[in-house]
């Protein structure tokens, strides 16, 4: 654990990419194979499942620290991380040890089979022999929320340096449905087994936001289509099985059972990049409909009829078992169109239509009507471009529609957690309704650090009342709130819920009387909800 | 009758007709220490410890100021007043006020562990104790001094070996000088931001011994000092000033807030050293216990949590709202005028 803790400290305490990659590569050169495999798993979001309830961990930590539980609970939101809170309140260890990372993971798994008394003894014994950082990492493994400031891309780059295997090849090997329990370092990295690759997706190609329409020259080199607002997914049909991956590399096959029938119509060895959309009468349903299905592992019948989904196909990555990512976009799209054209339209699969245009002015007009079509904007793809891995500039652009905005009055403030523990960063905003101010959204982001500091100083001096961590402040400041969508919500006092709200501008020029009203919000709901 | 009361101008002693660390103009102000949230402009007469006076005069300019050495007492109206070391910064004091046998202590800011710079904290027996609570949660535990100095010197030496300048962020009064005294000057030269060098000059003039330092000026040649350590205020580090040290310099902050990984990451620093001139959780609890006080008033910091905890420990504890600010990572005002 000391070697892993040293690696963690090295990558966690610097912002320099080069230093992070060096530290990782050095670790991959020297650590034992099973520790390397676990490290790759942890750094690619394959966290072990939570084996123990956090409630009971809090109790044990508070007891061991000799503090009341309520005080522990007060610390947690300020620290922002449960494992860190635990490692900070515990007394220093009285024992020493240096076991491997894999030892501790095995230790945790063994504990999960024990009763609470044995678990408690085991966990307290571990806490008592680990240094604070090791203890933090151990507890992170226990609570199952392991996250680290290293992207999978950097980790893969370091692994490529340490193994002399091509980075793109490694990226592909690391994808898919493996865990350290189902594979070994040798078979994953050094000698991959071909059958393991059956469920493996390709890395997604991600677009940057368009900065300048001049890059779309000549326009004939570009294909435009709608940017649909659903879940980006990759559908894989191989060996008579189908798999659906989200962009976050999560396997979501079972959440959308209606897509299973596609394997009877499409040839084996087909991989489609597309967007899962709630869809009826040849038009997308509001995102709120799809939202009902996200996070549900099994889907009740009623929901299947209320919010049926389709895959809106963007691109073809594998055609009859052949990886065609290197072909030009125009060729891939032609093959995709050929594949979909003969299918009955009762199937949940559509080709994302091209938007015809001659000039960038045409495109701008098309972009303006996005919201009416239930789209987020336009996607622009160079017809000669291969399908690349990750976020790359130049060949693909997204051109989103401007957000909706509303001017609102700040009425509550709460301090942030973790990295923002000493600043007020979470605010509740209200609109006028006659003489009253009706809260309608919270927002956390959008201000600069300097602005957060300024508003923090103001909140401290203008607190009217405290409710636990929340402070009611004098209604004085107006902020322009930007958001991507609006929907009716009986759970909210205002009757509406916003999608991706954030603070676009601090309107110091506006008095509170000039903020918008509830009627304005209702009008937006009628128009875009 | 209460020896001290809490008003919207500051902590007030009716028997002696004076205020302690007032934040609005008053006639008579007793000052615990020179940080700007405790010693402000606009008082007709100031009284502070003899060691704290030079910095306060330097900051506030032409003021009417009187001083007392630690432990000596003086009668002011119906109150007997004395200053006792608070261990926070040079000259920082807990102010003991006795009226008709009742003893109250206003401690300003304090820390209980010796820092090698300030006169070490001394517990003062009292009936009522006014305490800060900047770090009044059990997640705050400071790194012990030996480990701390080895962490900082190792970081500096590694940077020096790689030809990178080390830039260390710390408060201009107290923290900066305390860190200087821990540095191993065989590694390289120490440079300072102007705000810190001004404070150094004041402290040196009053006989406080500090290692040699050079102020960073406009013509600073970073190529000539690849092994330098530069101490700067956190606000200077956030600005364009830090560009002088080249794209490769390594930066670090020294603050109690560095105990929290999230804060460390938000500052995007290469390193965070966990050190404060305020007491940590254990320090606060030990200090309060050592006073023998039954009544405790909790000012700036995690007031509500700490007060609730103290009540459970059997103290008659109360939250008091003040305009003191604790250890901000962001404030600029400590840059001496
Ligand atoms: Zn202070
Ligand atoms: Zn203070």
């Amino acid at each position: 654990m000391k070697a892993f803790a040293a690696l963690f400290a090295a990558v966690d305490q610097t912002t320099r990419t080069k230093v992070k990659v060096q530290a990782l590569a050095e670790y991959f050169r020297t650590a034992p194979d099973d520790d390397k495999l676990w490290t790759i798993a942890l750094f690619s979001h394959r966290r072990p499942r939570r084996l123990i309830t956090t409630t009971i961990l809090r109790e044990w930590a508070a007891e061991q620290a000799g503090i009341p539980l309520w005080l522990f609970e007060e610390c947690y939101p300020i620290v922002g991380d449960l494992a860190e809170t635990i490692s900070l309140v515990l007394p220093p260890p009285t024992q020493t040890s240096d076991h491997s990372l894999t030892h501790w993971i095995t230790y945790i798994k063994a504990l999960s089979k024990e009763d609470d008394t044995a678990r408690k003894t085991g966990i307290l014994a571990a806490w008592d022999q680990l240094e604070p950082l090791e203890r933090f990492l151990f507890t992170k493994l226990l609570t199952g929320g392991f996250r680290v400031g290293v992207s999978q891309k950097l980790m893969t780059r370091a692994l490529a340096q340490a193994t002399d295997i091509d980075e793109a090849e490694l990226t592909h090997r690391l994808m898919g449905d493996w865990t350290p329990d189902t594979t070994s370092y040798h078979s994953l990295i050094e000698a991959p087994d071909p059958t393991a690759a059956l469920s493996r997706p390709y890395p997604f190609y991600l677009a940057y936001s368009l900065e300048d329409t001049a890059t779309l020259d000549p326009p004939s080199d570009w294909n435009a289509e709608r940017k649909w607002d659903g879940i980006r997914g990759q559908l894989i049909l191989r060996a008579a099985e189908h798999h659906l991956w989200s962009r976050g590399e999560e396997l979501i096959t079972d959440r959308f059972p209606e897509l299973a029938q596609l394997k009877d119509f499409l040839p084996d060895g087909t991989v489609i990049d597309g967007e899962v959309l709630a869809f009826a009468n040849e038009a997308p349903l509001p995102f709120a409909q799809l939202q009902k299905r996200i996070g549900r592992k099994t889907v009740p019948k009623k929901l299947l009829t209320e919010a049926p989904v389709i895959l809106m196909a963007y691109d073809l990555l594998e055609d009859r078992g052949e990886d065609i990512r290197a072909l030009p976009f125009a060729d891939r799209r032609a093959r995709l169109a050929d594949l979909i054209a003969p299918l009955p339209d009762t199937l949940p699969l559509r080709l994302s239509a091209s938007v015809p245009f001659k000039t960038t002015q045409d495109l701008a007009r098309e972009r303006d009507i996005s919201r009416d079509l239930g789209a987020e904007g336009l996607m622009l793809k160079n017809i000669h471009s291969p399908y690349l891995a990750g976020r790359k500039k130049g060949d693909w652009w997204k051109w989103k529609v401007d957000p909706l905005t509303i001017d609102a009055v700040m009425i509550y403030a709460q301090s942030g957690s973790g990295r923002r523990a000493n600043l007020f960063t979470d605010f509740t905003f209200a609109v006028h309704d006659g003489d009253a101010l009706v809260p309608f959204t919270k927002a956390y982001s959008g201000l600069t650090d300097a602005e957060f500091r300024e508003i923090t100083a103001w909140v401290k001096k203008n607190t009217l009342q405290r409710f636990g961590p929340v402070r009611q402040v004098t209604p004085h400041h107006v902020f322009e709130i930007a958001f991507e969508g609006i929907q009716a919500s009986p759970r909210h006092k205002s009757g509406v819920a916003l999608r991706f709200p954030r603070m676009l501008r601090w309107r110091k020029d506006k008095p509170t009387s000039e903020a918008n009203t509830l009627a304005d919000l209702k009008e937006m709901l009628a128009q875009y909800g | 009758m209460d020896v001290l009361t809490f008003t919207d101008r500051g902590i007030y002693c009716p028997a002696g007709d004076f205020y302690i660390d007032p934040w609005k103009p008053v006639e008579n102000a007793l000052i615990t220490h020179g940080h700007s949230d405790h010693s402000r402009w606009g008082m007709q007469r100031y009284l502070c410890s003899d060691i704290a006076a030079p910095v306060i005069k330097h900051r506030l300019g032409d003021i009417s100021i009187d001083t007392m050495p630690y432990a000596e007492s003086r009668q002011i109206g119906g109150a007997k007043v004395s200053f006792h070391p608070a261990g926070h910064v040079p000259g920082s004091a807990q102010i003991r006020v006795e009226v008709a046998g009742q003893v109250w202590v206003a401690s300003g800011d304090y820390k209980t562990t010796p820092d090698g710079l300030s006169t070490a904290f001394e517990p003062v027996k009292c009936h009522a104790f006014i305490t800060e609570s900047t770090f009044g949660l059990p997640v705050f535990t400071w790194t012990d001094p030996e480990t701390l100095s080895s962490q900082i010197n190792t970081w500096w030496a590694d940077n020096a070996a790689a030809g990178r300048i080390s830039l260390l962020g710390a408060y201009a009064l107290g923290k900066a000088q305390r860190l200087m005294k821990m540095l191993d000057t065989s590694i390289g030269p120490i440079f300072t931001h102007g705000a810190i060098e001004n404070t150094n000059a004041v402290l040196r003039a009053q006989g406080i011994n500090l290692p040699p330092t050079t102020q960073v000026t406009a013509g600073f040649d970073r190529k000539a000092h690849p092994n330098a350590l530069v101490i700067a205020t956190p606000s200077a580090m956030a600005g364009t000033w830090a560009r002088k040290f080249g794209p490769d310099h390594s930066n670090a902050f020294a603050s109690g807030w560095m105990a929290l990984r999230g804060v460390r990451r938000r500052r995007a620093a290469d390193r965070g050293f966990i050190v404060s001139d305020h007491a940590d959780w254990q320090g606060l609890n030990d200090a309060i216990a050592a006073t023998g006080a039954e009544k405790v008033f909790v000012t700036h910091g995690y007031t509500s949590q700490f007060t609730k905890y103290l009540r459970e420990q059997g103290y008659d504890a109360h939250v008091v709202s003040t305009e003191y600010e604790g250890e901000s990572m962001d404030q600029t005002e400590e840059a001496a005028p």
Side-chain angles (χ1 to χ4, degrees), chain B residues 32-38 88-89 92 108-110 132 134 171 173 277-278 300 325-327 331 334:
Chain B
T32 60
H33 68 288
H35 278 149
S36 56
D37 55 327
H38 292 263
H88 174 58
V89 296
S92 67
D109 293 336
Y110 65 91
E132 58 146 321
T134 306
Y171 269 15
L173 168 59
D277 288 327
H278 298 268
H300 56 317
E325 290 173 4
E327 180 162 313
Q331 77 199 47
E334 274 192 286

Side-chain angles (χ1 to χ4, degrees), chain A residues 127-178:
Chain A
W127 281 342
D128 194 38
Q129 59 185 284
L130 294 167
E131 293 297 321
L133 182 58
E134 301 168 49
R135 185 192 269 168
F136 164 69
L137 294 168
F138 170 81
T139 312
K140 271 290 192 202
L141 294 170
L142 269 182
T143 55
F146 200 90
R147 221 171 261 155
V148 68
V150 173
S151 65
Q152 189 165 340
K153 195 164 143 190
L154 285 191
M155 191 265 294
T156 312
R157 188 183 304 167
L159 192 59
Q161 283 180 12
T163 58
D164 282 325
I165 301 171
D166 177 59
E167 190 178 329
E169 173 58 29
L170 272 178
T171 307
H172 197 197
R173 281 183 200 177
L174 293 183
M175 297 195 77
D177 194 15
W178 63 272

Side-chain angles (χ1 to χ4, degrees), chain A residues 226-244:
Chain A
R226 301 287 165 197
K227 184 179 187 315
W228 298 107
D229 185 13
I231 302 169
R232 178 93 179 269
Q234 199 177 116
L235 180 75
I236 294 176
L237 306 172
R238 288 180 193 133
E241 295 275 347
H242 83 292
H243 308 274
L244 182 67

